[in-house]
Amino acid sequence: QPRFYSIASSPNRDAGEIHICVAAVRYETLERKRHGVTSCFLIDRCPIGSQIPVFIQRNPDFRLPQSPSTPKIMIGPGTGVAPFRSFIRHIYNDASVADSMLFFGSRHNKADYLYGEELEAWSKADGCSLITAFSRDQPEKVYVQHRISQPERAKRVWELIQNDGQIYICGDGWSMASDVRQSLEQLAQKYSNENLSEEDAKKLIESRIHLDVWVV
């Protein structure tokens, strides 16, 4: 059975290379240690220089807008940040790129801030918003959907949506993606001047969403 990983590199800056972001799957159940077949193979048993079979699975709906002036709202906790690193590397220092927001989440800042230095540098250089949610760094768990719902963030998200902003979600399709959708629908209802119904808010958000998610 194949395993799918989002590409985290850009042909603009990584010619001849394809980068992926892999987290080792390790857990214990019924008093037995379990390991992810592919993730642990790549991390533990695949020396540098190894050749392994790969193929490209296309996702034609998950790509940058044709116009660089189209705002982008990117939500990618954990390894879900991979395609957004690709986007960022592709558009880095492009003066025509419109305002964008990236919501990244993980458990701990010090241990799990994937590509943290790159993301921080991009945010400073291009003036785009980087919003983080480190769920275990405070007593109360905080996830990306909570950051999206914060008034100062929600208003900005809504402004970008009103300007034809496109929404990209990558990561867990089981709970995260649905929670994020709900947060987006709620802010659309709250901040719209048109008194959107619940159904109209769902239709609006659905018309802007692009997904690269997985269910385990």
Side-chain angles (χ1 to χ4, degrees), residues 118-138:
E118 281 190 46
L119 300 182
E120 298 280 355
W122 161 74
S123 179
K124 292 176 182 177
D126 284 356
C128 297
S129 300
L130 171 63
I131 301 98
T132 57
F134 299 108
S135 62
R136 304 302 197 276
D137 280 355
Q138 61 284 310

Side-chain angles (χ1 to χ4, degrees), residues 32-91:
R32 291 186 61 186
K33 293 182 178 180
R34 308 283 182 172
H35 300 85
V37 174
T38 303
S39 65
C40 290
F41 166 74
L42 291 172
I43 292 171
D44 299 335
R45 300 189 295 277
C46 189
I48 293 174
S50 301
Q51 294 187 3
I52 58 175
V54 299
F55 65 95
I56 300 295
Q57 174 80 11
R58 297 187 181 277
N59 185 352
D61 186 53
F62 199 92
R63 61 179 62 192
L64 285 165
Q66 288 188 343
S67 171
S69 64
T70 301
K72 292 162 284 295
I73 303 158
M74 302 172 283
I75 302 141
T79 56
V81 74
F84 305 128
R85 179 182 185 256
S86 174
F87 284 7
I88 289 166
R89 291 178 74 77
H90 202 72
I91 64 179

